[in-house]
Amino acid sequence: MVDARYGKPWVRKPSTADIDIGSILQSADRMLAEGIEIFDVIVPMQNGVPDWHRDPKTGADLPKTFGLQIDFRHMPGGVDIKYFWELNRHLWWVVFAQAYAVSDDYKYLLALSRLLDSWLTQCPYPIGPNWSSPVEHGIRLINWSIVWHLIGGEGAPIFDGDKGKELLDRWLVSIYRHQRFISDNYSFYSSADNHLIGEAAGIFVAAHTWDLWIDSRKMRQRAKHILETEILKQFSADGVNLEQAICYHKFSLEFLLASLLCGTVNNDNFSTLYTSRMRLAVEFLASMMDCIGHVPAIGDSDDGKVFEFLGSIGRTPYESLLSVSSVIFDSPALAQKSASLGILASQARFWMVLSDFIPRPSHPAETPILPCIFKQGGYAILGQALHTPAEFRLTMDIGPLGYNRIAGHGHADCLSLLLASQGSEFLVDAGTYCYNAAPEFRHYFRGTAAHNTAMIDNVDQSVYGGSFLWLRDVVTTLHDFSDDGIKLQIEASHDGYMRFRDPVRHFRKVIFDRSKLEVIVEDRFDCALSHHCTLHWHFAPECAISREGLKWLAIRETGTLKIQIEPSLLEVNLVSGRQAPPLGWISRQFYEREPTQVLTASGVINTSSLIRTCFTYTAAITDQSENVTH
C-alpha cells in the first residue's frame, strides 16, 4: 500500500515524577522470577515463557485443532477456559512494556521478545483455543497496541537486524490475521453484547496502530460503524449498559475508551452521539459508586479488564476509568466525583494521550448533581448525603433481566435492594463466583435466592436455561417515584412469576425517611391462589448478626442496622454457608467465595398479603477523644 503507515500512539511514557516506578519494576521482576498470577494460580514461565496451550488451573493440554470447531464452553476434564483466555489476553505484557518505558532496561524488552516469539510459534493461525473466540482477539490486539507504543513501535531495539525484522514481520502477519479472523466471525447473534463491542474495538485500534493494509482500512470503517451503532443499542438513553451487569458495563466502556482515544489522536473522530452516550455511561458508573469508590456486584462479574496500567491512579479499574473520563468529558459532576474520591483529574494523564481533550474549566457557580434514578436502564439510588463521606445509600434494581433475550450476564434479581452507610455494606449482592467450574453454584449465584428480593414457590424469577442462558424475559415496571426532601418513595413490580398457572405479580414499595434513617420495604402480591414466598436479606460478612426479641441487629464499625419483619407469623431463619442447596455465600472476587449470613422470612402469601420489613439505621458514636491532642 503506497501510503502505508504506523499510526500515532494513544498511550505514552509518562513523567517519572507522576508514577511509582518502583512498584512497576517490582511487578515485572516478580513475574520474571515467579510467573504470572491468573486468578488463584501462578503460571510458571520456563525459560521466560509459559506454555500457551496448557490450562493454567488443571495443567491439561488443550486441543491443537481448528479453533472454530473447539467447544470452549464445554471443555473436558474440568477445564474452565476463562483461565486460559486470561493468560492469552496479554494484559500482563503491558507491565514489561511499562517497565522498559520507565527504566530503559533491556531485560524487559528481551522478556517481551521471548514472549512474542513463543506465542507466534505456538499459536499459529487458525489452530487451538486462541483462534476460537473473536473477542479474545480484540482484547489481545488492544494490549499489543499498548505494548507497541510503549516500547517505541517499529524502532524498538528488538526489531533490529535480520532476526528482529523477521520477528516484526511475523507479528504483523499475525496482527492482520487477527483482524481478518474477527471481521469474518463477528458476534452478531447470541453474543452480540460486550463481545461485539470488543471485537470492533480491537479491529479499530489495530487498524490505526498498524495502518498497513487496504483491507484493514475497510475493516476499520466497518468496525467504527459497529461501535457507533452498538453503543446506542447496548447502553440505554440514560447511560446504563443493558446487560444489567456492572462489571460488563465497565468492560464495554474500556473498549469504547480505547477506541475513542485511538481515533482522536489519529483524526478519526467519533460522533457526538457516541461521546454523549459514553459520557452518560460513565456518569451512571459514578452514580453507582459509593463514597469510597466501591461499586455493587450486580450481575455477572469475572473481574475482566481490557487493559491495565500499573502505577496509574485509581484504587480500582472503576476509579481509573472515572478519572480518565473526568478529563475527557465536559462533566462537572464527574470532576467533582473524582475529586471527592481523591482522584485528581490532572493525574489521569499518566499513560494515556489526553492532550487532544480540552482541560476542564472550573464551575464554581454550579452544584453538579449525578443522577439518582435511571428509568430506562433500571436502577434507583436512594439516600442521604450521597457522594459524601457521610452518605447513606440504597440501591434498587428496577430493570429487566438482561440483554439480547438470553440475558447471558444478567441475574434474576428484579426489585433487589442493597444498603450501605459511609462506604460500609450492610445488605449486599452475593456476586458471581464462577462461570463453568461449579454448575450448582453458578446457578445459585445467578438465581433469585442469592438476591435481596422475594422468591415465589422456591423457583427463580425466570427459567434457568444454563450458565449463560435464561429462557424467559422478565419485565419490571416503575409505578411511582417521589421525593419531598424528607421522605422518598419508590414502587415497582415485575412479571417474572406471571408465567405460573396462577400468575403472580410481585410489587415492592420502598419508603425512605431521611429524618430517621428508616427504610420500610413493603412486598405485596397480585394473584388468585395461595403461594409460598421467601424473602432473602443478605448481609456483608463484616456484619455481626444477633437477635433482640422480634428484631434482628446487623452491627458494623460504622453503625447498627435494626431489622423487623412483619407479620410475625412468618418463619424467620438465619442461614450461612449452606452447601445443598447453596445459600449464604458471597463472592467478592472471581473464583473466590466465603460464607455470609442470610436472613430468610418464609410463609404462605395470597393477594391480600403484605410483608413489611423495617430497617432502622443508627450511626456509631465516634470517640472524639481520639482527636484531642494530649
Side-chain angles (χ1 to χ4, degrees):
M1 192 166 69
V2 175
D3 59 343
R5 64 177 184 87
Y6 295 110
K8 294 180 181 179
W10 57 281
V11 295
R12 67 189 180 100
K13 173 183 175 180
S15 167
T16 55
D18 291 333
I19 55 174
D20 183 356
I21 295 177
S23 68
I24 295 171
L25 300 182
Q26 288 172 12
S27 295
D29 290 340
R30 185 167 56 250
M31 281 199 295
L32 288 174
E34 301 174 9
I36 309 105
E37 184 177 349
I38 303 294
F39 300 120
D40 56 344
V41 301
I42 301 295
V43 181
M45 294 207 292
Q46 301 295 330
N47 300 317
V49 297
D51 187 331
W52 299 111
H53 274 279
R54 178 164 293 176
D55 173 44
K57 180 71 172 180
T58 65
D61 289 325
L62 300 188
K64 298 178 182 178
T65 55
F66 180 52
L68 287 174
Q69 291 183 341
I70 295 174
D71 183 3
F72 53 78
R73 291 183 179 87
H74 304 94
M75 301 291 286
V79 171
D80 188 334
I81 198 67
K82 187 72 174 70
Y83 282 88
F84 176 83
W85 277 343
E86 197 70 25
L87 176 70
N88 283 275
R89 288 177 172 183
H90 299 169
L91 277 76
W92 51 279
W93 285 23
V94 173
V95 179
F96 293 127
Q98 286 183 275
Y100 174 71
V102 300
S103 70
D104 290 324
D105 191 328
Y106 189 77
K107 74 176 181 180
Y108 303 117
L109 199 59
L110 185 60
L112 284 168
S113 177
R114 290 196 193 100
L115 291 167
L116 179 59
D117 177 68
S118 66
W119 195 91
L120 295 173
T121 300
Q122 292 186 35
C123 306
Y125 170 82
I127 302 302
N130 279 319
W131 294 92
S132 60
S133 176
V135 69
E136 300 301 314
H137 293 66
I139 298 172
R140 198 155 48 238
L141 284 173
I142 290 172
N143 283 284
W144 282 0
S145 175
I146 294 171
V147 169
W148 171 268
H149 290 309
L150 291 183
I151 67 175
E154 76 278 15
I158 57 171
F159 302 132
D160 290 345
D162 292 341
K163 190 173 182 180
K165 184 178 182 303
E166 180 190 14
L167 178 62
L168 176 58
D169 289 343
R170 290 168 59 210
W171 195 11
L172 293 177
V173 168
S174 186
I175 288 165
Y176 175 80
R177 285 174 170 169
H178 271 63
Q179 295 177 70
R180 184 81 268 166
F181 181 88
I182 294 172
S183 185
D184 291 343
N185 297 284
Y186 270 123
S187 298
F188 286 125
Y189 303 104
S190 64
S191 295
D193 44 33
N194 67 84
H195 284 221
L196 185 54
I197 287 177
E199 291 154 9
I203 286 183
F204 185 81
V205 170
H208 269 303
T209 304
W210 301 280
D211 187 11
L212 305 175
W213 308 280
I214 293 176
D215 281 357
S216 284
R217 292 184 178 179
K218 294 177 181 177
M219 288 187 281
R220 184 175 71 214
Q221 290 174 352
R222 186 187 185 200
K224 185 179 182 183
H225 174 74
I226 290 172
L227 291 168
E228 291 271 12
T229 301
E230 291 302 317
I231 192 173
L232 300 180
K233 287 175 61 176
Q234 296 192 37
F235 288 83
S236 65
D238 50 13
V240 180
N241 184 276
L242 297 177
E243 290 197 74
Q244 305 299 125
I246 302 299
C247 175
Y248 284 94
H249 181 103
K250 173 197 67 69
F251 193 57
S252 292
L253 275 176
E254 289 172 339
F255 285 123
L256 298 169
L257 174 62
S259 302
L260 177 66
L261 294 179
C262 186
T264 300
V265 300
N266 287 286
N267 298 314
D268 190 4
N269 296 307
F270 285 87
S271 70
T272 301
L273 285 174
Y274 179 100
T275 55
S276 296
R277 189 61 56 93
M278 188 174 171
R279 174 182 60 80
L280 290 170
V282 179
E283 288 180 345
F284 165 73
L285 199 60
S287 296
M288 295 291 279
M289 191 179 289
D290 69 13
C291 62
I292 63 170
H294 172 264
V295 296
I298 295 170
D300 270 353
S301 173
D302 64 356
D303 298 340
K305 306 180 189 81
V306 178
F307 53 81
E308 183 176 37
F309 296 100
L310 292 185
S312 184
I313 47 80
R315 290 157 290 193
T316 70
Y318 296 91
E319 291 176 300
S320 294
L321 178 61
L322 173 61
S323 177
V324 173
S325 298
S326 69
V327 175
I328 294 173
F329 300 111
D330 186 14
S331 170
L334 289 180
Q336 180 170 319
K337 181 71 174 185
S338 295
S340 73
L341 292 170
I343 307 172
L344 301 178
S346 61
Q347 293 180 330
R349 301 177 182 273
F350 283 175
W351 293 98
M352 296 180 177
V353 177
L354 303 176
S355 55
D356 289 319
F357 298 95
I358 300 173
R360 188 161 330 289
S362 61
H363 298 267
E366 294 187 28
T367 304
I369 299 175
L370 287 166
C372 64
I373 185 162
F374 300 85
K375 293 181 180 180
Q376 294 98 332
Y379 295 98
I381 304 160
L382 326 176
Q384 178 172 275
L386 291 173
H387 312 296
T388 74
E391 78 173 0
F392 182 86
R393 170 181 288 258
L394 295 162
T395 305
M396 185 173 178
D397 187 325
I398 56 171
L401 182 63
Y403 181 66
N404 202 23
R405 302 192 69 177
I406 65 171
H409 289 301
H411 289 188
D413 55 1
C414 293
L415 308 186
S416 180
L417 193 69
L418 310 177
L419 188 153
S421 178
Q422 298 171 264
S424 295
E425 294 180 295
F426 283 84
L427 295 179
V428 297
D429 190 295
T432 299
Y433 177 49
C434 70
Y435 281 168
N436 299 308
E440 68 282 6
F441 275 98
R442 172 59 173 160
H443 187 174
Y444 165 68
F445 278 98
R446 293 189 80 203
T448 303
H451 300 90
N452 300 319
T453 188
M455 189 174 191
I456 308 299
D457 292 342
N458 297 312
V459 298
D460 293 320
Q461 292 170 347
S462 183
V463 179
Y464 191 76
S467 292
F468 299 96
L469 175 64
W470 291 104
L471 297 178
R472 187 184 183 279
D473 289 339
V474 178
V475 177
T476 303
T477 302
L478 178 65
H479 301 288
D480 177 53
F481 182 80
S482 59
D483 186 356
D484 64 9
I486 297 176
K487 283 192 176 181
L488 191 157
Q489 179 172 297
I490 185 170
E491 183 173 19
S493 67
H494 74 82
D495 67 354
Y497 294 117
M498 295 295 286
R499 70 183 190 271
F500 288 178
R501 178 173 296 180
D502 174 46
V504 181
R505 189 168 192 94
H506 173 206
F507 291 80
R508 169 165 284 184
K509 180 189 291 186
V510 178
I511 305 166
F512 172 49
D513 188 331
R514 292 185 175 93
S515 66
K516 298 187 289 187
L517 290 186
E518 179 184 77
V519 181
I520 296 174
V521 182
E522 294 180 350
D523 291 293
R524 61 185 180 86
F525 312 89
D526 187 358
C527 54
L529 305 176
S530 296
H531 296 266
H532 184 271
C533 174
T534 302
L535 288 186
H536 297 88
W537 299 111
H538 298 74
F539 294 96
E542 294 81 5
C543 291
I545 311 297
S546 61
R547 189 165 190 167
E548 188 180 81
L550 294 177
K551 297 181 176 67
W552 293 80
L553 303 179
I555 303 172
R556 291 199 61 165
E557 68 283 357
T558 52
T560 299
L561 188 68
K562 184 178 293 185
I563 307 103
Q564 184 167 1
I565 304 174
E566 299 173 348
S568 58
L569 293 177
L570 292 172
E571 180 182 348
V572 179
N573 292 294
L574 195 62
V575 181
S576 178
R578 192 176 74 193
Q579 291 282 344
L583 186 64
W585 298 94
I586 188 171
S587 173
R588 286 176 164 164
Q589 287 186 298
F590 205 45
Y591 292 114
E592 293 183 10
R593 62 180 166 91
E594 61 178 309
T596 197
Q597 299 192 81
V598 181
L599 196 63
T600 66
S602 302
V604 176
I605 56 96
N606 54 45
T607 197
S608 63
S609 298
L610 177 68
I611 301 177
R612 188 175 184 270
T613 309
C614 180
F615 300 93
T616 307
Y617 182 74
T618 305
I621 299 174
T622 304
D623 186 357
Q624 299 296 328
S625 64
E626 294 179 358
N627 300 321
V628 177
T629 303
H630 298 282

